[in-house]
């Protein structure tokens, strides 16, 4: 008989099959990225403003926001990277966009 704990690569506690939070949130990935093509520059600007507002609501330390709006065939492409001070804030930001 094979137990599920033996199949998991995460560090689990045998008593309750719990996963150590450090195996999920290890602060290695603190950047959330967004990319989308819009027909109009104003739409891209509005989306950037909305995303920036959401990031600012989540941040504990200032979030580094790097954005680019470039012309592409059919409109403009918005690319944004949000780098938070910790991975938990990144996850909260991403979940808030769903």
């Amino acid at each position: 008989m094979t137990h599920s704990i033996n199949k998991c690569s995460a560090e689990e506690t045998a008593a309750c099959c719990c996963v150590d939070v450090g195996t999920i949130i290890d602060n290695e990935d603190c950047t959330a990225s967004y990319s989308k093509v819009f027909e109009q520059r104003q739409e891209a600007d509005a989306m950037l403003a909305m995303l920036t507002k959401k990031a600012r609501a989540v941040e504990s330390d200032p979030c580094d926001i790097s954005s680019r709006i470039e012309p592409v065939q059919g409109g403009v492409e918005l690319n944004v990277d949000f780098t938070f001070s910790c991975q938990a804030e990144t996850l909260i930001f991403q979940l808030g966009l769903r």
Side-chain angles (χ1 to χ4, degrees):
M1 174 192 240
T2 304
H3 298 288
S4 63
I5 192 164
N6 295 329
K7 294 180 185 177
C8 184
S9 63
E11 294 179 29
E12 293 182 340
T13 303
C16 67
C17 293
C18 300
V19 176
D20 178 30
V21 172
T23 63
I24 299 169
I25 301 177
D26 56 10
N27 277 336
E28 287 187 17
D29 185 11
C30 296
T31 301
S33 297
Y34 178 88
S35 181
K36 184 175 178 179
V37 175
F38 295 90
E39 289 183 15
Q40 305 275 331
R41 169 74 187 229
Q42 296 87 342
E43 294 171 310
D45 288 336
M47 178 59 78
L48 177 58
M50 187 273 296
L51 292 170
T52 299
K53 183 177 179 180
K54 285 186 175 279
R56 297 293 181 220
V58 170
E59 68 187 1
S60 60
D61 289 327
C63 175
D64 179 37
I65 301 172
S66 173
S67 65
R68 300 164 309 287
I69 298 176
E70 303 169 329
V72 295
Q73 187 172 351
V76 294
E77 183 175 32
L78 170 63
N79 291 292
V80 192
D81 292 324
F82 300 89
T83 303
F84 292 90
S85 62
C86 68
Q87 191 174 5
E89 291 175 352
T90 307
L91 291 171
I92 293 166
F93 174 73
Q94 291 170 324
L95 290 172
L97 298 179
R98 293 180 177 218

